[in-house]
Amino acid sequence: MDRSGVLNAAFLNRERLSADMGNLLVLAPHPDDESLGCGGLIALLRESGNSVTVIFVTSGSASHSSITHPASILSKMRELEAIRACSVLGVRIKDIHFLRAPDSKLGGLRETALSLLAEEITGVYERGYFSAIALPWRRDPHPDHQVVNTLGQRFLKNLPENLIKLEYP
C-alpha cells in the first residue's frame, strides 16, 4: 500500500501546517466545541500568526438545566466562557461571532431559518481571507453538530475548490 500521499499531507506536516493551511474559519455549534474539537489547531495557527475566526451558531443556553441559571443567564455565561477560551487560544475578540440560534433545537429549524444562518456564515466568510474551514464531524451524534455540519457543507458548495475543509470530532 502506497502511503506517500498520507505521509506528505499538509495537515500532518506540523512544521508547515500554518503555511499550508493559512487562515481558518471555525464553525462551532456551541461554546466549547471550538476548544474541544480543534483547540490545538487554533492555538498552533494563532501562534504562527495565522488568522482564526470562530462562529458560534448557538450560545449554549441549553447545555444544562438550572434553577439559578435560566437560559437567558446561561447563554451570557457561556458566551463569556467562549470569549475567554478563545482568548487563551489566541483568537482576537473581533474574530468571534455568535449567531445565537436556538440551542438543542437546530434540527427543528425551518428552511428559512437555516438559510438565514447560512447567509450569516457567508457574510463572515466574505469579510475575511480564509483558506481553510473547520466544522463538526458529519457523523457526530449530537443533532446540533449534524445541522452545523450540514450548514457548513451547504455553505461550502459556493466556495473555491481549493479551500481546505476539515471536520473535527
Side-chain angles (χ1 to χ4, degrees):
M1 175 178 194
D2 180 18
R3 295 178 184 245
S4 60
V6 171
L7 295 175
N8 294 320
F11 57 89
L12 297 177
N13 184 346
R14 181 171 160 47
E15 292 75 28
R16 289 227 10 109
L17 185 65
S18 63
D20 291 344
M21 286 200 61
N23 297 329
L24 176 67
L25 176 63
V26 178
L27 297 184
H30 314 98
D32 76 8
D33 290 328
E34 83 300 339
S35 295
L36 295 171
C38 56
L41 175 63
I42 291 169
L44 180 70
L45 291 175
R46 286 300 300 137
E47 200 173 275
S48 299
N50 298 55
S51 173
V52 175
T53 296
V54 179
I55 299 175
F56 293 100
V57 178
T58 77
S59 295
S61 64
S63 64
H64 58 281
S65 60
S66 168
I67 296 170
T68 58
H69 295 84
S72 60
I73 291 174
L74 188 56
S75 65
K76 289 181 178 108
M77 289 175 61
R78 297 289 313 276
E79 285 188 14
L80 287 173
E81 290 169 353
I83 290 167
R84 285 189 207 113
C86 284
S87 175
V88 168
L89 296 173
V91 179
R92 301 171 298 202
I93 190 137
K94 73 177 192 73
D95 296 326
I96 301 169
H97 304 270
F98 293 94
L99 303 186
R100 298 185 176 102
D103 188 10
S104 294
K105 296 180 180 154
L106 295 180
L109 292 179
R110 295 183 189 269
E111 183 58 35
T112 307
L114 292 172
S115 293
L116 289 173
L117 288 173
E119 284 177 26
E120 289 187 73
I121 293 167
T122 301
V124 172
Y125 175 83
E126 288 174 347
R127 289 190 299 273
Y129 300 97
F130 302 102
S131 50
I133 185 169
L135 52 150
W137 181 48
R138 70 189 73 199
R139 291 186 180 93
D140 190 302
H142 193 298
D144 283 356
H145 294 210
Q146 293 171 0
V147 170
V148 172
N149 177 282
T150 300
L151 276 172
Q153 296 298 339
R154 178 188 297 186
F155 163 72
L156 290 171
K157 288 180 182 174
N158 302 322
L159 300 181
E161 284 293 319
N162 62 347
L163 185 76
I164 297 169
K165 301 157 191 97
L166 303 169
E167 292 184 16
Y168 59 86

